[in-house]
């Protein structure tokens, strides 16, 4: 029997509801125990089927106008990762110089060896032209494509946590160095260099909080009702 015009079946809708208690707990566990891994990677390659699952999770992210602006560059070569580490090291020395006294000492004490230690790097990019010059939902906020790409990064990160895979986001680079290393065209935005590998241990809290860099802000201070309120006020 044909579905009535305009019914949920014709529109492609399907029944839904909350996950059961165990599944809900697993989702929240992935969210709350996810960490930015910098130095705990094991020297074990990730199976191809696992990498594929993580990429499928990333590709399932929402995107403005369903433009799916992301691409994923997989880097396994030790030579390429070493060149990336050299580029990171130059930028990291510059970054350290922006801090002074005890803050600089603490910065330099942080271990940021993910590029060398992780067996896989995934560079996530955003192509602003993926869906043409006019994109549904991006007409008044051109950054929506980048926001969509960050959703893909978070999807990958949470899926990795569920699989026992650590992820570290490296952001201390000169954009031009990464472009030259990986042949990324100027029109394509580099969103994330992610280091991935198996881990056996993670920090119980974010590493920067445990080491005294910065603490988590109270959620209640960040919630506004009806209109903006300055948290500092």
């Amino acid at each position: 029997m044909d579905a009535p015009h305009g019914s949920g079946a014709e529109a492609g809708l399907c029944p839904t509801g909350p996950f059961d208690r165990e599944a809900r707990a697993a989702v929240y566990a992935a969210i709350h125990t996810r960490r930015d891994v910098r130095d705990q990677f094991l020297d074990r390659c990730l199976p191809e089927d696992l990498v594929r699952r993580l990429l499928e999770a990333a590709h399932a992210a929402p995107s403005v106008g369903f433009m799916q602006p992301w691409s994923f560059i997989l880097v396994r070569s030790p030579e390429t990762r070493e060149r990336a580490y050299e580029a990171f090291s130059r930028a990291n020395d510059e970054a350290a110089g922006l801090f002074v006294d005890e803050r600089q000492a603490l910065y330099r004490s942080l271990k940021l060896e993910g590029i060398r230690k992780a067996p896989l790097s995934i560079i996530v990019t955003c192509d602003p032209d993926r869906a043409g010059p006019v994109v549904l939902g991006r007409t008044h906020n051109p950054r929506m494509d980048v926001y969509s790409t960050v959703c893909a990064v978070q999807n990958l990160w949470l899926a990795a946590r569920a699989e026992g895979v650590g992820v570290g986001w490296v952001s201390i680079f000169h954009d031009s160095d990464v472009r030259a290393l990986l042949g990324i065209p100027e029109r394509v935005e580099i969103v994330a260099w992610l280091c991935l590998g198996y881990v056996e241990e993670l920090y119980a809290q974010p590493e920067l909080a445990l080491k005294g860099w910065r603490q988590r802000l109270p959620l209640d201070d960040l919630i506004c009702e009806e209109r903006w309120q300055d948290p500092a006020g």
Side-chain angles (χ1 to χ4, degrees), residues 70-119:
W70 43 72
S71 292
F72 309 98
I73 304 172
L74 277 58
V75 172
R76 297 183 177 89
S77 161
E79 293 78 14
T80 303
R81 288 189 285 121
E82 184 63 29
R83 288 177 62 190
Y85 179 79
E86 291 169 0
F88 157 79
S89 295
R90 292 192 296 271
N92 194 48
D93 286 342
E94 295 169 2
L98 300 176
F99 302 99
V100 296
D101 301 332
E102 294 86 359
R103 202 69 166 167
Q104 183 177 119
L106 178 55
Y107 181 93
R108 291 189 180 280
S109 73
L110 298 173
K111 293 182 179 180
L112 304 171
E113 293 293 310
I115 296 174
R116 278 177 162 169
K117 295 187 70 173

Side-chain angles (χ1 to χ4, degrees), residues 128-180:
D129 301 331
R130 180 68 51 84
V134 181
V135 178
L136 188 156
R138 197 183 63 173
T139 53
H140 290 71
N141 186 345
R143 298 295 288 166
M144 287 299 298
D145 49 12
V146 178
Y147 302 159
S148 299
T149 305
V150 173
C151 289
V153 172
Q154 181 75 333
N155 269 20
L156 186 152
W157 212 328
L158 295 177
R161 177 65 191 90
E163 297 275 7
V165 173
V167 178
W169 186 331
V170 182
S171 58
I172 306 172
F173 281 117
H174 285 293
D175 192 82
S176 57
D177 288 341
V178 178
R179 289 187 188 282

